[in-house]
Each structure stands twice: as structure tokens, then as C-alpha cells.
């Protein structure tokens, strides 16, 4: 007799995604791949912040890291959507990386927003039982 695992709701799935450290790291990697050659200074401000968000997440500040990831992913999506792209260039490797990074931005905004809205900030109080 095998037991089926309990089903996880949509909000819990989004919260799990938002509290994970890999999505901001992956987005930072994709942004770096797009804007390193030729070097573009404005978009290259985003990878350090996203990597810092992953560091915060691994340090135990999942709710705060989710908020930072959601905010900066949304800002990058707004910046990236301002650039026009020809239809023929959407089917190149560079176009696929751009599309993947924008899709990941939207997922991070949704998941990070849910995780930030539903999460509790970590307390540095030594008497807090949630540490």
C-alpha cells in the first residue's frame, strides 16, 4: 500500500519558489550573459543585487530576500521590455535567453510577492522560538 503525497496548493508552490535561493541566482546569470558583451552598465547593476538576495536567503532571511528578488526582478522586466526586438531576432540564442530571463522575472515577481506578503520577517531576538 503506497501513500500519495499531500497535494500542495498554488499559493504554497509560489511561496516555496519565492523563498528559494536559486531563481535570483539563475536570473543574475542570464542577465550577465545578455549584457556582458558588449558591456551595458545599467542592466549590469542587477546581478549583484540579485546575488545579494540569494545570500540573504541562505542566511535565513527568506521573507526579506523574496521581497528584494520580486522588486528587482520587476524593475529588470520593465527595463528589458522597453527595448524593441525584431521578430526575426526572437528566434536566436540571444532572443531565447532574453525570453527566458523575462519569463523568470515574471515568475520571480509573482512568487516573491506571495512569499513576501505571506511570510514573517525573521527576528534577531535570541528568545524568539522561530530562530
Amino acid at each position: 500500500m503506497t501513500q500519495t503525497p499531500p497535494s500542495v496548493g498554488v499559493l504554497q508552490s509560489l511561496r516555496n519558489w519565492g523563498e528559494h535561493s536559486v531563481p535570483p541566482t539563475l536570473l543574475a546569470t542570464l542577465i550577465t550573459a545578455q549584457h556582458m558583451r558588449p558591456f551595458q552598465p545599467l542592466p549590469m547593476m542587477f546581478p549583484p543585487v540579485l546575488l545579494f538576495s540569494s545570500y540573504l536567503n541562505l542566511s535565513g532571511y527568506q521573507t526579506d530576500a523574496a521581497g528584494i528578488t520580486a522588486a528587482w526582478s520587476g524593475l529588470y522586466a520593465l527595463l528589458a521590455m522597453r527595448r524593441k526586438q525584431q521578430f526575426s531576432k526572437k528566434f536566436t540564442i540571444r532572443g531565447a535567453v532574453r525570453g527566458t530571463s523575462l519569463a523568470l522575472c515574471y515568475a520571480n515577481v509573482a512568487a516573491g510577492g506571495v512569499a513576501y506578503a505571506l511570510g514573517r520577517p525573521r527576528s534577531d531576538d535570541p528568545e524568539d522560538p522561530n530562530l
Side-chain angles (χ1 to χ4, degrees):
M1 180 165 129
T2 60
Q3 293 182 354
T4 59
S7 63
V8 178
V10 174
L11 284 179
Q12 186 61 40
S13 295
L14 283 173
R15 186 173 179 186
N16 290 342
W17 177 277
E19 290 180 347
H20 206 273
S21 64
V22 173
T25 304
L26 182 60
L27 182 59
T29 303
L30 291 173
I31 292 171
T32 302
Q34 280 184 287
H35 302 289
M36 186 59 84
R37 288 188 74 186
F39 185 78
Q40 298 168 344
L42 182 61
M44 287 301 290
M45 290 177 16
F46 290 89
V49 175
L50 292 168
L51 291 174
F52 178 69
S53 173
S54 291
Y55 170 75
L56 281 179
N57 191 323
L58 294 173
S59 297
Y61 296 96
Q62 286 87 8
T63 303
D64 300 326
I68 292 171
T69 300
W72 282 83
S73 295
L75 286 174
Y76 178 75
L78 287 174
L79 178 72
M81 290 303 294
R82 289 182 53 202
R83 295 188 313 267
K84 299 297 180 199
Q85 187 177 24
Q86 296 175 356
F87 184 74
S88 61
K89 292 189 177 183
K90 290 183 181 186
F91 300 105
T92 62
I93 297 296
R94 191 173 189 100
V97 170
R98 181 177 188 260
T100 304
S101 65
L102 284 174
L104 190 57
C105 279
Y106 297 136
N108 284 347
V109 168
V114 168
Y116 186 74
L118 298 179
R120 292 184 316 202
R122 181 176 168 212
S123 169
D124 285 334
D125 185 16
E127 296 176 9
D128 188 9
N130 294 324
L131 288 177

